[in-house]
Amino acid sequence: MDAREAARLLKGVRAAALAGDRPPAAPRPEIAESWRRMMAGGVHPDRDARSRMLSAAETEERRHVSPLREILPVLREGLLPALDEALHIMVVADAEGRLLWREGHSSILRKADRLGFAVGADWDEAVVGTNGVGTALVTRRPVQVFSAEHFVSSHHDWTCAGAPVRDPRDGRLLGVVDVSGPLATMHPATLAWVSSVARLAERELRVRHLESLERLRAVAAPLLARLPGRALAVDPNGWTAAVTGLAPVDRVPLPKSFGPGRVRLAQLGDCAVEPLPGGWLLRIAQERTTAGVTRVVLDLSRARTWSATVYGAAGSWSQELSPRHAELLFLLAESPRGRSAAELSGELFGDPTRTVTVRAEMSRVRRNLAGVLAHRPYRFAEDVEVELIRPEDPAGLLPHSTAPAVIRARLGHGGPGMIP
């Protein structure tokens, strides 16, 4: 069907969903999930709410500290040449949904101004409803929002496609690149195009990271060659540049508050930390021990940041979790007897045959949470007390996740949703 016919159908779907009636067609799953969040959060479907705009000084400060600034040339080269002809604009937002850069066709920029889609604006999903910036931040996946798939009716003349950009050094969500335009100008392939450019931008960050590791290696290798015992040089994100006296590891998770002195690290044990140009020298003081873990607190209460804190005889340490690792640990916390790779695959993907992916992810989790997890089946180790902290609103449990088991947990604690 053409764009106008599709828009009419979607308006009927949205109206039925808001009224609690059976819609003429089912909304796409990611849109249905977003609409549920909007209704639960009290976003008004017909009122154009806006938060305070950042000042010019605040916007410039965010631009200065954002790693997205490094990849702007890649985004511009990949997107801008086609935007004028297609009557689109490119928007780059940070991880909080604040628009930091905006470029494209001048007439579309003026229309975007009237919508509040301007530099410094807050396009978090909880503020302006379902949209290509805010919804991509919540789901952490590329998303296209077409016409009346926008929850707020004033956005129905627009279509947008947004893709998240992650920092390859630590998996941190940096923000979203989005292409938006009037309803009649958007093409179904736009999402694939934007997603591909976002991946190219991440590759640029990865290349820069590898170059920085090479510089650190050039400094550290001669120093390590003269040291007795076990030691390694890592960058500020824990990626290894050089080692001596032990098998190489790709990365050592570092605590948030990290600096020179004596530090206990989960993977290495007690270490003496010294600064290096572009990183740290870690001298391992004693044999690593993983015994004595007594308690694990799995905190899933926040919307975009999840953590596991491990307590034992030697003290405590915390590990931030990627979205996938948060899903896996949630499933294991809900299954004290453990789960096989096939069972976890079914609960994550709805497909019990994707065991290779599950085993690879569980290997990474176990490497980061040494002494905490066991396998055959996968489970928390015996005699380890597990505390699971959920969000106050059950619908906020791992909102990015489309895992069948996580969706059931949301609905099971919060009751059936209003949208089929």
Side-chain angles (χ1 to χ4, degrees):
M1 63 180 68
D2 64 23
R4 294 188 181 279
E5 185 180 353
R8 283 194 297 271
L9 174 62
L10 288 172
K11 287 181 180 180
V13 171
R14 174 180 172 276
L18 292 174
D21 298 331
R22 180 176 293 278
R28 291 186 292 140
E30 61 267 34
I31 299 300
E33 285 289 323
S34 176
W35 287 355
R36 288 190 186 100
R37 292 192 294 270
M38 299 307 93
M39 288 186 280
V43 175
H44 198 289
D46 297 309
R47 187 176 300 153
D48 190 352
R50 303 179 189 181
S51 66
R52 183 186 70 84
M53 293 278 290
L54 295 177
S55 68
E58 290 171 323
T59 300
E60 193 55 41
E61 174 62 23
R62 289 198 182 212
R63 286 175 168 179
H64 180 72
V65 301
S66 174
L68 294 170
R69 180 169 51 89
E70 302 175 31
I71 58 173
L72 274 178
V74 176
L75 299 177
R76 286 171 172 146
E77 182 179 351
L79 296 174
L80 289 184
L83 290 186
D84 275 356
E85 182 178 349
L87 297 179
H88 297 341
I89 59 173
M90 177 191 79
V91 169
V92 181
D94 66 15
E96 295 180 358
R98 289 287 185 173
L99 309 192
L100 299 185
W101 292 275
R102 193 190 68 161
E103 301 178 34
H105 195 281
S106 58
S107 67
I108 308 304
L109 291 173
R110 289 193 295 272
K111 291 181 179 180
D113 286 338
R114 293 193 289 272
L115 193 67
F117 200 46
V119 170
D122 184 354
W123 275 69
D124 187 275
E125 189 188 62
V127 175
V128 298
T130 309
N131 72 92
V133 173
T135 302
L137 287 174
V138 173
T139 63
R140 301 189 175 217
R141 293 190 303 275
V143 61
Q144 188 163 20
V145 184
F146 181 83
S147 184
E149 288 182 325
H150 289 92
F151 189 74
V152 179
S153 58
S154 59
H155 304 166
H156 289 180
D157 290 337
W158 284 73
T159 300
C160 50
V165 178
R166 298 174 180 83
D167 191 328
R169 294 168 294 188
D170 56 11
R172 180 168 55 100
L173 184 63
L174 300 177
V176 167
V177 57
D178 169 270
V179 165
S180 294
L183 173 61
T185 65
M186 190 60 69
H187 191 278
T190 302
L191 182 61
W193 171 41
V194 175
S195 299
S196 297
V197 174
R199 300 294 78 77
L200 285 173
E202 291 177 344
R203 183 174 298 176
E204 174 67 17
L205 288 174
R206 188 174 295 111
V207 168
R208 293 182 179 220
H209 178 221
L210 293 175
E211 291 173 348
S212 69
L213 282 178
E214 284 296 330
R215 291 192 293 271
L216 176 58
R217 185 175 295 115
V219 172
L223 176 62
L224 291 176
R226 298 193 297 269
L227 289 179
R230 299 180 300 156
L232 66 165
V234 299
D235 75 359
N237 293 287
W239 290 96
T240 302
V243 303
T244 184
L246 73 160
V249 293
D250 289 337
R251 187 185 181 197
V252 178
L254 303 179
K256 284 185 177 180
S257 56
F258 188 77
R262 303 283 295 190
V263 177
R264 181 169 182 80
L265 299 175
Q267 282 188 271
L268 302 175
D270 290 333
C271 297
V273 180
E274 301 173 28
L276 289 174
W280 302 99
L281 172 65
L282 308 180
R283 299 193 194 198
I284 303 174
Q286 63 183 34
E287 291 294 325
R288 172 187 167 204
T289 175
T290 61
V293 174
T294 58
R295 182 167 173 256
V296 175
V297 176
L298 181 60
D299 188 352
L300 307 181
S301 62
R302 290 164 290 180
R304 298 173 188 165
T305 305
W306 312 283
S307 66
T309 303
V310 179
Y311 297 87
S316 64
W317 52 271
S318 293
Q319 171 72 43
E320 287 194 12
L321 303 173
S322 70
R324 180 67 75 207
H325 293 176
E327 290 173 326
L328 285 166
L329 291 177
F330 168 73
L331 295 177
L332 295 183
E334 292 284 273
S335 310
R337 295 183 179 179
R339 285 287 187 269
S340 67
E343 288 172 325
L344 287 175
S345 178
E347 292 174 339
L348 278 178
F349 308 114
D351 178 1
T353 66
R354 296 182 60 178
T355 55
V356 172
T357 300
V358 168
R359 290 192 178 100
E361 291 292 345
M362 285 302 306
S363 176
R364 296 185 185 99
V365 176
R366 294 181 65 216
R367 187 163 61 242
N368 291 338
L369 296 177
V372 174
L373 298 173
H375 67 299
R376 296 181 182 175
Y378 294 114
R379 64 197 185 280
F380 282 96
E382 294 183 11
D383 301 324
V384 173
E385 176 190 354
V386 180
E387 179 184 353
L388 174 60
I389 303 177
R390 299 170 179 264
E392 292 184 8
D393 180 1
L397 176 66
L398 300 176
H400 70 282
S401 177
T402 58
V406 175
I407 292 174
R408 287 196 300 271
R410 291 190 202 121
L411 297 179
H413 287 274
M418 296 178 64
I419 302 172

